Amino acid sequence: MSRPLLPLKAGAIVFTLLWTAWMMWWSGSFSSANVVILALCGAAVGYLWYRAMRWQFERMGMLPRKDDSSGTS
């Protein structure tokens, strides 16, 4: 894990947990199938949120851009 991305990754994990918990509470059903489906959806939403925030922060200059050192000199 690179240091500049550590808060972003932690935020994505917290967002995933909160989103999943909210969806479980909102649905009102705690059957095993519902829990599994919402956990998978929560993981997908958390990953997409992480990618979107990383892209936006790189665009705004708040994160260093990926090095494109392909070795051509």
Side-chain angles (χ1 to χ4, degrees):
M1 260 190 223
S2 62
R3 285 275 182 210
L5 295 178
L6 193 60
L8 185 59
K9 289 177 182 180
I13 291 170
V14 169
F15 178 78
T16 299
L17 293 174
L18 290 174
W19 187 89
T20 304
W22 175 260
M23 288 295 117
M24 283 185 196
W25 179 79
W26 184 67
S27 73
S29 172
F30 295 104
S31 66
S32 59
N34 192 37
V35 170
V36 169
I37 289 170
L38 287 176
L40 292 174
C41 290
V45 166
Y47 178 73
L48 292 174
W49 183 85
Y50 167 77
R51 297 300 295 181
M53 290 298 107
R54 182 174 174 175
W55 174 77
Q56 184 64 30
F57 289 160
E58 285 176 353
R59 219 177 119 232
M60 292 170 48
M62 295 173 68
L63 285 175
R65 294 183 186 256
K66 297 177 199 168
D67 289 330
D68 192 18
S69 56
S70 57
T72 57
S73 30

